[in-house]
Amino acid sequence: MVIKRDREREKGESSASMAATAAKGKVWEEEQPDTGMDELLAVLGYKVRTSDMPDVAQKLEQLEMAMGTTMEDGITHLGSDTVHYNPSDLSGWVQSMLSELNTASPSSNFDAISNQTAGSFSTTMLDFSNAKQLGDQCKIYSDDSEYDLRAIPGGAIYRSDKESDRGSGIKRMKSSLLEPEFDDSLTVATAAAAESARPVVLVDSQEAGVRLVHTLMACAEAVQQENLKLADALVKHVGLLAVSQAGAMRKVATYFAEALARRIYKIYPQDSLETYSDILQMHFYETCPYLKFAHFTANQGILEAFAGANRVHVIDFSLKQGMQWPALMQALALRPGGPPAFRLTGIGPPQPDNTDALQQVGWKLAQLAVTIGVEFEFHGFVANSLADLDASMLEIRPSEVEAVAVNSVFELHRLLARPGAIEKVLTSIKAMNPKIVTFAEQEANHNGAHFLDRFNEALHYYSTMFDSLESSGLTQPNGQDLVMSEVYLGRQICNVVACEGTDRVERHETLTQWRTRMDSAGFDPVHLGSNAFKQASMLLALFAGGDGYRVVENDGCLMLGWHTCPLIATSAWQLAAGDS
Amino acid sequence: MVVPLNTWILISNFKLAYNMLRRPDGTFNRHLAEFLDRKVPANANPVDGVFSFDVVIDRGTSLLSRIYRPASADGGVPSIADLEKPVGSDIVPVIIFFHGGSFAHSSANSAIYDTLCRRLVGNCNAVVVSVNYRRAPEDRYPCAYIDGWAALKWVNSRPWLQSPKDSKVHIYLAGDSSGGNIAHNVALRAVESGIEVLGNVLLNPMFGGETRTESEKRLDGKYFVTLQDRDWYWRAFLPEGEDRDHPACNPFGPKGISLEGVKFPRSLVAVAGLDLVQDWQLAYAEGLKRAGLEVNLLYLEKATIGFYLLPNNDHFYTVMDEISNFVSSNLCSVLLLGFLVLPFLSAASGNLSKGAFETASDWEMCEMIAAGVFYALHCQISVKGGAILR
């Protein structure tokens, strides 16, 4: 789908006319029922209802005719100036392009924005360099110039106005609204297949590596069967084998072996998981692009959702060192017409040394705000669990006054450790009346019912992760950042493998699983578009340093992976139409 | 419409998207291409009897390949240690597959090619290795060939891919569109280097030349493809300043080399009758034939490009059968029926047009002529009438 300034739908299109413009010429009998999706196209990644197909074909023909009259230049503008969304929804995509071509000079709007921005951007750059002179306090923000959002030419996300949806009749632009009408069995099957998919990327298929993996798995199996004597022998054997390995494989094996040993001997990590977790995450942030990607793509969505608002409020469920916000603040500062008033509510766990980490972050951001000329307000909330909060504590202002965004990076999965927690939090989020909810999560199923399955999934996931750290060339081997990043990941491994019950908080789930949950809780997807995709890809090329990172679009969400294995997924949501 | 509706929609969608991605100045909108391309991850859990996993063959170039294997008979889920378990049966064909996309589009993990490779596994009881070669215009000739060659060497050196019968890897090269072109060129290199390739399977292979052939003129813009876009892709792939008679594009053209006396593998070449570059594809088959090489030519009169992407037409099944026989065939020769006989017949009867074998008597005449042309004594003649009678 392509962003449109004007949300006029083609009037007069209805399912009745679809039937009338029936298959042209000879058409093979489709075996699936008319209300379902075309199964053959579905396998190839395109969701088209069989009943929509003649209409889609007709639109493709119309586009072809338009192409014929405008030469190649005419059509390539659709590639460069316009933003595309959710290519799997062929019907919507084709429709958008038709509308785009029919509207006169749509690209002029975007040109105007980027021209204005270019001017104001150079001014702000000077301000930002002043900020650098502030010295140490701002050191942690030095990365952000590399991914300034600027003003995004064209929309990063697909916004829907509830008004136009109400009156639009049978067909909807948002593919999410097509979902309930899909053939249920196919959706379920697809979801199930997707859920149980195991993407594997092997990098070094050496004999020793295979034996190591085999031994680890055998050990895990022994643990599952509570054959602790065997498990003990095997975990020691893993230690021996690991020594002869090199690089990522050795490190991963060592962490998994340690985690298994803890499980076998029932020695759970004594330190609070929160100790140094912020610092470890910062090193992880420096070493590889996963966090930067999450921040960047979430910010794209938030920035777009805040368009036109004079006061904005971001509720960050995972404030940590606040690394996500300078870039957003800077982009807001660059908005044509000036920045909105920016309020940030940061939530974080209690610190073991009782320092007020949240306020320190708030203060640093306030300083930045001063230098870039953004009115700034900060509140910090200390909470053991997000479920302890509710909307009334956060001083939510009416939506006409202040637009709200709720953001969470790698936090929501922790709520799955306690029954009812995620549901409570999702309800609270709805009560906050957000314009947009953005979250990033690990793309993995580390929350299955069986220990062995979790173990295997995690082994593969973290092997891929460690391999990307190793190969990306950004860091010198065993540089401090790299080691700290590995410790950061190692803690997650330990939690997934050694802990149970409420202690096991690293309960990662896949995007498919999160989608189902958000859908049931009354949220609709907000699609991230080709513009966000492109900028994320360019970001990676700029400083990821490794050729293997890939961004993939998946039904309106963006995933970052190492080679073909997705590892992180960012998605954006809004309250479902009819909910408020 | 000569194709099923969903095929028409699929190919038209590609055509539309691809038009947006090619810029008149020869550059390519790679970000949008990657955004639009529908990709699927590998899946080590068997689906319909096939599981897959990706391997980084060359860290330096990030060259990746997707391996597809038949699941074990009990359908059990392979563990990570099982992925590179030695192949079971006496002889297991290993098909190195190069996806199409005119050298610029698609990837090994594109949904259309993931699906096709899975079908090949089931159909041929083979292991399929789909190579994620570097693409134009960012990486021109000979990058794709270099990557293909790296993949071939890698496959050939995997102990777990050796057939137990003779401890050798039974390699076939296959590809559609640009992938077919790559297969040809990798085979050439294999011959020079002494790695044995048992056969080439080329589906609508991408070849061309400076001359405008009759089929190009006749079919330009008629079935999804235009000469203008073909020219664009060659300009994007070939070295700057080279024209379409470069041997990568026109292997048997004025700058081409003869394969006479060369131990080039036998080939299965499928040509779609509605593909505008068919004259070049037929010329390719003819070039192989002239060099005394075995060629099985499948001329599918009513097929368009991409017919093999969806299993909703007879051509699809015909080609799948042919490929299956080809990689399991121990025949020393497969009858080159349509190609040789047609000009003979046209001259003889003057009435029969290409592929218009309507009656049984036409077919008998074919067989007689064929028998006279070939030494049927030494070779088992297999007639795949369906393909040519369409």
Side-chain angles (χ1 to χ4, degrees):
Chain A
M1 289 183 282
V2 168
I3 196 175
K4 299 185 305 161
R5 292 276 136 184
D6 149 33
R7 301 228 45 240
E8 283 283 284
R9 298 268 333 167
E10 271 191 55
K11 306 288 192 242
E13 288 288 338
S14 70
S15 50
S17 67
M18 284 186 248
T21 58
K24 310 145 44 116
K26 205 171 17 169
V27 174
W28 293 67
E29 286 289 327
E30 303 298 350
E31 278 163 14
Q32 59 272 23
D34 282 332
T35 51
M37 288 195 289
D38 185 288
E39 287 184 16
L40 293 183
L41 289 179
V43 169
L44 304 185
Y46 296 102
K47 296 185 189 147
V48 191
R49 272 184 298 186
T50 314
S51 51
D52 278 342
M53 279 178 29
D55 179 63
V56 173
Q58 185 184 50
K59 294 204 168 91
L60 281 166
E61 267 206 323
Q62 288 173 5
L63 277 165
E64 232 179 280
M65 286 192 297
M67 269 162 44
T69 54
T70 54
M71 300 297 290
E72 236 174 68
D73 300 47
I75 204 78
T76 41
H77 100 264
L78 278 182
S80 50
D81 297 340
T82 54
V83 184
H84 300 257
Y85 300 94
N86 202 11
S88 286
D89 173 19
L90 250 190
S91 182
W93 185 64
V94 166
Q95 174 60 59
S96 311
M97 282 191 293
L98 258 184
S99 312
E100 183 70 24
L101 279 181
N102 288 338
T103 327
S105 312
S107 49
S108 59
N109 284 331
F110 302 120
D111 288 345
I113 292 173
S114 29
N115 285 338
Q116 274 185 335
T117 313
S120 52
F121 175 69
S122 50
T123 319
T124 315
M125 264 311 273
L126 293 171
D127 289 344
F128 188 63
S129 60
N130 287 339
K132 284 193 182 176
Q133 290 160 24
L134 282 176
D136 283 357
Q137 302 100 314
C138 291
K139 202 162 47 166
I140 59 171
Y141 307 133
S142 58
D143 258 335
D144 303 319
S145 56
E146 286 154 327
Y147 73 99
D148 286 343
L149 292 176
R150 297 172 206 201
I152 303 165
I157 59 165
Y158 183 73
R159 273 188 303 157
S160 88
D161 300 329
K162 296 192 178 161
E163 294 70 38
S164 54
D165 277 336
R166 237 181 274 134
S168 66
I170 293 132
K171 280 198 299 180
R172 303 258 165 95
M173 285 291 273
K174 289 191 316 178
S175 69
S176 62
L177 293 165
L178 284 174
E179 309 252 2
E181 296 162 70
F182 281 162
D183 183 61
D184 279 342
S185 58
L186 187 58
T187 314
V188 168
T190 314
E195 255 191 74
S196 61
R198 253 201 310 150
V200 177
V201 179
L202 292 183
V203 185
D204 284 316
S205 48
Q206 300 158 348
E207 266 299 311
V210 171
R211 243 184 302 145
L212 186 52
V213 168
H214 222 135
T215 313
L216 273 168
M217 283 167 37
C219 182
E221 202 172 333
V223 168
Q224 164 118 327
Q225 289 161 1
E226 304 204 14
N227 186 344
L228 296 182
K229 247 182 121 171
L230 174 61
D232 175 57
L234 287 169
V235 88
K236 290 182 172 125
H237 195 51
V238 168
L240 288 172
L241 284 173
V243 167
S244 62
Q245 274 298 104
M249 197 57 225
R250 189 190 78 244
K251 295 174 188 177
V252 171
T254 308
Y255 280 114
F256 273 90
E258 185 198 320
L260 279 168
R262 286 185 182 275
R263 195 181 179 98
I264 295 167
Y265 303 121
K266 300 184 174 31
I267 306 169
Y268 301 113
Q270 293 295 345
D271 340 291
S272 151
L273 284 169
E274 300 311 324
T275 319
Y276 309 123
S277 75
D278 282 7
I279 297 172
L280 290 177
Q281 194 181 69
M282 264 178 61
H283 286 285
F284 182 70
Y285 178 88
E286 296 293 332
T287 312
C288 50
Y290 300 106
L291 266 179
K292 289 174 181 133
F293 170 82
H295 292 169
F296 182 80
T297 45
N299 282 349
Q300 298 275 62
I302 294 171
L303 192 67
E304 179 74 357
F306 282 170
N310 289 325
R311 308 196 70 87
V312 302
H313 181 194
V314 171
I315 301 168
D316 186 4
F317 282 359
S318 44
L319 185 69
K320 302 277 192 218
Q321 293 294 307
M323 292 173 292
Q324 183 169 351
W325 307 117
L328 180 70
M329 289 161 65
Q330 191 163 2
L332 288 172
L334 295 172
R335 247 176 34 163
F342 180 67
R343 178 153 78 109
L344 177 64
T345 299
I347 298 162
Q351 293 300 304
D353 53 358
N354 284 323
T355 53
D356 197 344
L358 296 175
Q359 282 307 322
Q360 284 182 11
V361 172
W363 184 71
K364 286 176 193 168
L365 290 172
Q367 288 204 297
L368 173 66
V370 165
T371 57
I372 61 177
V374 175
E375 190 190 319
F376 181 72
E377 200 185 323
F378 178 82
H379 294 268
F381 277 92
V382 173
N384 270 305
S385 162
L386 293 172
D388 296 340
L389 289 169
D390 62 63
S392 60
M393 301 170 184
L394 303 179
E395 285 177 52
I396 306 290
R397 295 168 193 156
S399 55
E400 317 82 67
V401 173
E402 192 170 64
V404 175
V406 177
N407 179 81
S408 163
V409 173
F410 300 162
E411 281 299 321
L412 291 185
H413 60 261
R414 298 168 156 261
L415 296 167
L416 303 176
R418 275 171 216 273
I422 185 70
E423 291 82 358
K424 178 161 192 287
V425 170
L426 291 176
T427 307
S428 305
I429 293 177
K430 279 166 36 181
M432 297 169 198
N433 203 9
K435 196 100 198 291
I436 193 167
V437 180
T438 51
F439 65 84
E441 283 287 325
Q442 291 88 345
E443 177 62 11
N445 186 359
H446 295 155
N447 199 23
H450 299 293
F451 169 72
L452 195 53
D453 291 338
R454 289 203 306 271
F455 185 86
N456 288 336
E457 292 279 335
L459 183 58
H460 175 61
Y461 181 86
Y462 287 102
S463 300
T464 310
M465 232 338 153
F466 270 76
D467 190 66
S468 75
L469 288 183
E470 181 98 345
S471 315
S472 71
L474 240 195
T475 54
Q476 308 118 359
N478 299 320
Q480 191 189 26
D481 270 343
L482 179 60
V483 172
M484 291 295 120
S485 305
E486 290 166 359
V487 172
Y488 170 78
L489 294 173
R491 282 200 177 178
Q492 291 178 13
I493 293 170
C494 198
N495 190 267
V496 174
V497 172
C499 298
E500 284 300 343
T502 52
D503 285 336
R504 179 158 63 87
V505 292
E506 298 296 347
R507 292 182 181 248
H508 312 141
E509 290 195 346
T510 63
L511 183 57
T512 307
Q513 290 168 292
W514 283 108
R515 277 198 183 111
T516 308
R517 192 173 280 118
M518 293 300 280
D519 189 62
S520 322
F523 291 90
D524 283 341
V526 174
H527 292 136
L528 298 165
S530 59
N531 200 42
F533 179 95
K534 173 178 173 178
Q535 298 204 26
S537 301
M538 285 166 60
L539 169 79
L540 287 174
L542 266 186
F543 62 91
D547 225 359
Y549 293 106
R550 296 278 181 271
V551 184
V552 179
E553 187 276 346
N554 181 310
D555 268 348
C557 302
L558 295 184
M559 303 214 265
L560 173 59
W562 178 243
H563 293 289
T564 50
C565 191
L567 294 172
I568 305 291
T570 305
S571 58
W573 305 86
Q574 61 188 343
L575 298 174
D579 264 35
S580 59
Chain B
M1 194 189 292
V2 298
V3 295
L5 185 57
N6 46 13
T7 303
W8 194 91
I9 287 176
L10 181 72
I11 314 280
S12 297
N13 161 63
F14 288 150
K15 174 180 163 186
L16 175 67
Y18 293 1
N19 275 335
M20 280 193 288
L21 302 173
R22 294 189 302 268
R23 298 201 191 98
D25 66 356
T27 59
F28 188 75
N29 192 339
R30 181 61 65 193
H31 291 300
L32 185 58
E34 292 302 296
F35 178 81
L36 293 175
D37 189 27
R38 305 291 82 204
K39 298 190 198 286
V40 294
N43 191 352
N45 292 334
V47 174
D48 292 336
V50 180
F51 69 90
S52 63
F53 59 97
D54 293 338
V55 185
V56 177
I57 285 181
D58 183 337
R59 269 181 186 267
T61 54
S62 287
L63 178 61
L64 184 133
S65 287
R66 180 162 290 181
I67 320 281
Y68 301 84
R69 296 187 67 168
S72 59
D74 60 8
V77 172
S79 68
I80 291 188
D82 289 334
L83 295 177
E84 293 179 326
K85 199 168 69 168
V87 295
S89 349
D90 268 357
I91 293 189
V92 178
V94 179
I95 302 174
I96 303 179
F97 181 78
F98 301 98
H99 67 81
S102 307
F103 293 105
H105 297 280
S106 294
S107 306
N109 58 342
S110 294
I112 47 172
Y113 288 113
D114 185 84
T115 306
L116 178 59
C117 287
R118 285 173 169 274
R119 293 200 173 111
L120 283 175
V121 173
N123 193 54
C124 304
N125 238 317
V127 171
V128 175
V129 178
S130 182
V131 184
N132 201 41
Y133 58 87
R134 281 170 291 168
R135 297 165 299 186
E138 298 95 325
D139 295 300
R140 295 173 173 271
Y141 165 96
C143 295
Y145 299 163
I146 292 172
D147 290 348
W149 171 239
L152 176 59
K153 282 189 295 182
W154 185 87
V155 165
N156 195 47
S157 60
R158 296 305 102 186
W160 58 276
L161 285 175
Q162 292 169 355
S163 290
K165 180 162 186 164
D166 53 8
S167 295
K168 283 167 38 171
V169 186
H170 288 225
I171 297 174
Y172 294 82
L173 300 175
D176 71 307
S177 166
S178 51
N181 178 302
I182 297 171
H184 167 80
N185 282 282
V186 173
L188 276 179
R189 186 129 183 225
V191 165
E192 283 167 29
S193 310
I195 294 188
E196 189 187 6
V197 173
L198 295 171
N200 278 2
V201 176
L202 274 53
L203 307 179
N204 300 4
M206 187 169 158
F207 294 114
E210 276 301 300
T211 333
R212 298 303 194 191
T213 61
E214 184 271 335
S215 67
E216 283 168 310
K217 290 186 245 185
R218 175 170 48 94
L219 294 170
D220 184 7
K222 295 281 189 344
Y223 295 98
F224 310 112
V225 186
T226 64
L227 262 184
Q228 188 178 34
D229 70 64
R230 294 297 97 201
D231 289 351
W232 190 98
Y233 292 114
W234 285 118
R235 272 196 307 274
F237 173 70
L238 294 169
E240 313 235 12
E242 292 284 351
D243 67 15
R244 289 186 304 275
D245 281 334
H246 186 282
C249 177
N250 194 354
F252 295 117
K255 300 181 195 162
I257 48 156
S258 164
L259 291 182
E260 197 150 354
V262 175
K263 215 174 155 274
F264 194 79
R266 52 194 258 270
S267 302
L268 171 64
V269 182
V271 177
L274 299 177
D275 186 344
L276 84 174
V277 301
Q278 62 188 270
D279 284 350
W280 292 112
Q281 295 159 343
L282 294 169
Y284 171 78
E286 170 62 13
L288 294 175
K289 174 78 192 47
R290 261 203 317 271
L293 298 165
E294 281 183 50
V295 185
N296 182 0
L297 176 67
L298 287 182
Y299 185 81
L300 308 161
E301 192 186 350
K302 289 282 199 300
T304 63
I305 55 154
F307 70 88
Y308 43 81
L309 295 177
L310 288 173
N312 58 2
N313 61 90
D314 284 359
H315 304 307
F316 172 90
Y317 293 102
T318 304
V319 163
M320 284 296 157
D321 281 348
E322 287 289 341
I323 298 175
S324 173
N325 290 336
F326 188 74
V327 304
S328 63
S329 155
N330 286 319
L331 310 177
C332 64
S333 163
V334 180
L335 181 66
L336 179 58
L337 185 57
F339 183 81
L340 278 186
V341 175
L342 283 163
F344 196 110
L345 279 173
S346 307
S349 70
N351 285 334
L352 293 168
S353 54
K354 219 171 350 187
F357 297 121
E358 301 290 351
T359 66
S361 62
D362 296 334
W363 190 232
E364 281 162 32
M365 194 167 17
C366 254
E367 284 201 348
M368 271 171 27
I369 293 162
V373 172
F374 287 92
Y375 293 103
L377 290 168
H378 296 293
C379 306
Q380 192 179 334
I381 298 169
S382 78
V383 174
K384 299 293 172 189
I388 299 144
L389 285 174
R390 187 59 47 189

